[in-house]
Amino acid sequence: MKRCQSASGNFTAGIRKRRIFCLLTTLLTLPGLILWTPGAFANPSGGVVVHGNVNIGSGAGGNLQINQSSQNAIINWNSFSIGANELTQ
């Protein structure tokens, strides 16, 4: 590899440092990106019907639909959160 010289020094050393910096930045941020999950699945989950006649299912576009056909119902949820772009009916 032919090395270029300039008034500020060696170009190949600068490129090597830049590549190492990019590699280290990627390696340090990748685990955080894998562990961080956006609220794409923030709808209520783990619903268990304790009392009443209730059907819990998914609707169009990943929406959660809860259909109650009895006058009263009790549902215990494992988690209950509704994201900004989600719909629970």
Side-chain angles (χ1 to χ4, degrees):
M1 175 186 248
K2 186 175 181 180
R3 294 185 180 197
C4 300
Q5 295 290 331
S6 72
S8 62
N10 193 334
F11 283 127
T12 56
I15 291 171
R16 189 174 298 128
K17 286 180 183 178
R18 222 173 286 138
R19 285 182 182 168
I20 291 172
F21 174 77
C22 289
L23 178 64
L24 287 175
T25 303
T26 302
L27 291 175
L28 292 174
T29 56
L30 189 59
L33 292 174
I34 291 171
L35 294 175
W36 177 77
T37 55
F41 301 108
N43 260 333
S45 66
V48 177
V49 179
V50 177
H51 176 77
N53 191 6
V54 178
N55 291 320
I56 302 170
S58 58
N63 296 333
L64 178 65
Q65 288 187 334
I66 305 164
N67 295 315
Q68 179 180 339
S69 56
S70 60
Q71 185 175 356
N72 298 309
I74 299 172
I75 304 171
N76 288 334
W77 297 97
N78 186 31
S79 68
F80 195 92
S81 178
I82 301 173
N85 294 321
E86 293 182 324
L87 178 65
T88 301
Q89 297 178 322

